[in-house]
Amino acid sequence: MEYKETVKKVIAEVCRLLLGVVFIFSGTVKAVDPMGGAIKIGDYLTSFGLDKLQPFTVLISFNLSALEFMLGVCMLVGVYRRYTTFLTLLMMSFMTPLTLYLAIFNPVSDCGCFGDALVISNWQTFYKNVVLLAAAIYVFIHNQRLLQGYTYHVYWFVALWAYVFAIGFAYRNYNHLPILDFRPYKLGANISALMSIPEGAPEDEYAYSFIYEKDGVQKEFSLENAPADDSTWTFVDSKTKLVKQGYVPPVTTFHIYNENDADVTDELLNDPKGLFLLIAPRLENADDERIDEINNVYDYALENGLGFYCVTGSSAEAIATWSDNTGAEYPFLMADDVLLKTIIRSNPGLVLLKKGTILMKWHYNDIPQEEDLKTIVNGYLEGNTDWKAKEDARLITNLLSFTVPLLLVWGYDALRNRRRRKGKESE
């Protein structure tokens, strides 16, 4: 009997750890890039004919990441075991049939469950959710066997802090660039290299078949045994099937056009001095609060012989309206708005390029002030990579900001509430 109980408890703990880690990871990567999550949610709403909810995509993205993160933390430390396991089961009961629908009908290319940090196919997502659903069912049935990291006196703080922290973390990444960039266009990346195929990389493998007809009967042949030299057979059709996909570069398409529809991509990527790209996927929705800073960067570029272009996916009418409203004098180039949203999570956002390498990216809230431009821009053009240290510092700061309060409360809980409970038991 004790052996069976031990086995059940071990299985329950393994399921708890699996669900906790997956939900924390999923919630974290969504909070890292809430704008990317909003874009994916928008794709879902469009595919299901729910475009009326498009204005709420950012709100949904924030709360979805916070909910997943909170459930993962509560599951991992054994807080509100009954409610946490029930909500997790409820969520997986919804997501599993949804991802089955996505796998069968493919209305969106990938579910976005792990953002851009880990892109998996719709079928892989469904299989993953089947495993998580089974784990959720088990921990719900055996929730009282799960270990508790805190006493019930501080449950409220753990759950609330996890939710509030996730919301605040997502808000920080929404109003600035994501603290981690999981997309190909990260700092230090060379766009030309991202599009290239290495020598000796695996190539696509295809299977070819041919359909011939004889005496009114059609038959399919492989390439090796096709009766091409037999006049009694008449060729009808051919088929090509991809058997194995070869190497796919991180960036498959990157094209920027001028007002005459001429492709100027190579010219931009081979600029030896450096240039600024003001990325605005849709000028109609672009924030114009930092126009002075943007115009200052344009003036600086002119004075120092650097290129400056605004790249947008908007129409000529929208470009004219933006120019009238902001006094923009810089030239405009055109590109696909999906590409531009992938390059930078800011509308508008500023990118500094040199010979196709991304030296720096700025959210419109972080564009340098006029008096700092020379020092900052020249530093990056000369090879300054201080952004690496800053990125590491931000990661450590956010990790400590979340874990230290939880550890302090755990210490308080252990010293006060657990000691109080032991005292009552000894009386």
Side-chain angles (χ1 to χ4, degrees):
M1 191 68 178
E2 291 183 2
Y3 174 75
K4 289 184 178 180
E5 284 297 314
T6 301
V7 170
K8 289 180 180 179
K9 183 172 180 61
V10 169
I11 295 175
E13 290 297 334
V14 170
C15 292
R16 174 178 71 89
L17 291 173
L18 173 64
L19 289 166
V21 170
V22 171
F23 269 64
I24 289 175
F25 177 72
S26 179
T28 299
V29 295
K30 286 186 176 71
V32 164
D33 186 12
M35 196 62 232
I39 293 170
K40 179 60 66 175
I41 291 169
D43 293 340
Y44 274 102
L45 295 177
T46 298
S47 65
F48 289 109
L50 299 173
D51 285 323
K52 291 183 179 179
L53 298 178
Q54 291 288 352
F56 304 102
T57 53
V58 174
L59 181 64
I60 296 171
S61 176
F62 271 53
N63 284 278
L64 179 60
S65 63
L67 177 62
E68 284 189 296
F69 185 77
M70 180 192 70
L71 288 176
V73 170
C74 290
M75 182 73 72
L76 201 60
V77 299
V79 166
Y80 289 124
R81 293 173 295 176
R82 183 175 300 171
Y83 298 123
T84 298
T85 56
F86 173 73
L87 289 174
T88 303
L89 176 59
L90 194 66
M91 192 168 185
M92 293 313 306
S93 298
F94 172 77
M95 294 303 297
T96 304
L98 174 62
T99 51
L100 176 60
Y101 175 85
L102 296 178
I104 294 174
F105 298 102
N106 201 38
V108 292
S109 57
D110 69 271
C111 74
C113 51
F114 297 134
D116 290 310
L118 180 61
V119 179
I120 57 179
S121 69
N122 286 332
W123 277 113
Q124 289 172 326
T125 302
F126 170 68
Y127 298 141
K128 178 261 298 179
N129 283 348
V130 169
V131 174
L132 295 181
L133 177 61
I137 292 172
Y138 195 89
V139 294
F140 176 69
I141 295 172
H142 302 283
N143 65 81
Q144 294 306 305
R145 288 186 167 89
L146 302 179
L147 290 175
Q148 296 172 269
Y150 296 83
T151 68
Y152 70 91
H153 295 90
V154 295
Y155 278 4
W156 66 272
F157 176 82
V158 177
L160 181 62
W161 174 241
Y163 193 89
V164 170
F165 179 85
I167 290 289
F169 184 58
Y171 184 76
R172 180 264 167 221
N173 291 311
Y174 179 77
N175 284 284
H176 306 276
L177 294 183
I179 195 170
L180 285 174
D181 196 345
F182 298 117
R183 290 153 293 138
Y185 305 97
K186 52 177 63 82
L187 297 181
N190 183 275
I191 298 175
S192 298
L194 293 174
M195 294 189 289
S196 64
I197 298 178
E199 185 177 350
E203 298 181 356
D204 291 343
E205 296 180 12
Y206 295 93
Y208 302 94
S209 61
F210 303 89
I211 300 173
Y212 283 80
E213 183 176 326
K214 181 178 181 180
D215 299 330
V217 178
Q218 292 187 356
K219 187 176 179 180
E220 188 170 335
F221 298 89
S222 66
L223 178 63
E224 291 75 18
N225 60 11
D229 298 328
D230 190 342
S231 60
T232 61
W233 289 92
T234 304
F235 174 77
V236 176
D237 198 5
S238 64
K239 295 180 180 179
T240 303
K241 180 181 179 182
L242 179 64
V243 177
K244 184 179 179 181
Q245 189 173 51
Y247 176 82
V248 178
V251 174
T252 55
T253 57
F254 186 94
H255 296 287
I256 299 177
Y257 304 90
N258 63 18
E259 68 276 8
N260 299 318
D261 290 333
D263 194 326
V264 296
T265 306
D266 289 340
E267 177 185 338
L268 298 177
L269 297 184
N270 291 302
D271 189 295
K273 294 190 65 176
L275 58 86
F276 292 97
L277 296 180
L278 181 66
I279 306 293
R282 288 293 169 186
L283 288 170
E284 308 91 292
N285 304 323
D287 193 292
D288 59 1
E289 292 183 2
R290 298 293 185 269
I291 291 303
D292 289 341
E293 287 83 351
I294 292 171
N295 289 336
N296 288 337
V297 175
Y298 173 60
D299 292 337
Y300 174 85
L302 286 182
E303 293 170 2
N304 291 272
L306 302 176
F308 189 106
Y309 306 91
C310 178
V311 190
T312 182
S314 295
S315 64
E317 292 77 11
I319 292 174
T321 301
W322 173 268
S323 299
D324 291 341
N325 293 339
T326 64
E329 298 178 353
Y330 37 78
F332 288 84
L333 302 175
M334 273 62 72
D336 180 69
D337 65 332
V338 175
L339 168 65
L340 300 180
K341 290 175 184 177
T342 307
I343 293 174
I344 190 168
R345 298 295 198 217
S346 178
N347 188 22
L350 190 64
V351 178
L352 177 62
L353 280 178
K354 184 178 181 180
K355 294 182 179 179
T357 298
I358 300 173
L359 301 181
M360 181 47 61
K361 300 196 293 187
W362 291 277
H363 190 280
Y364 61 78
N365 284 326
D366 302 314
I367 294 175
Q369 296 297 313
E370 183 178 9
E371 60 271 18
D372 300 323
L373 275 172
K374 182 177 181 179
T375 302
I376 293 174
V377 174
N378 285 350
Y380 290 127
L381 289 174
E382 294 169 3
N384 183 4
T385 56
D386 65 345
W387 53 266
K388 295 180 180 178
K390 291 179 180 179
E391 185 177 89
D392 292 340
R394 284 194 295 265
L395 287 173
I396 294 172
T397 300
N398 279 274
L399 181 61
L400 292 177
S401 298
F402 175 67
T403 56
V404 168
L406 286 182
L407 290 173
L408 291 175
V409 170
W410 180 83
Y412 169 83
D413 185 46
L415 292 174
R416 182 181 178 89
N417 294 323
R418 292 179 186 271
R419 182 180 296 175
R420 182 184 298 173
R421 186 171 62 185
K422 288 181 180 179
K424 289 182 179 180
E425 290 175 353
S426 63
E427 292 178 356

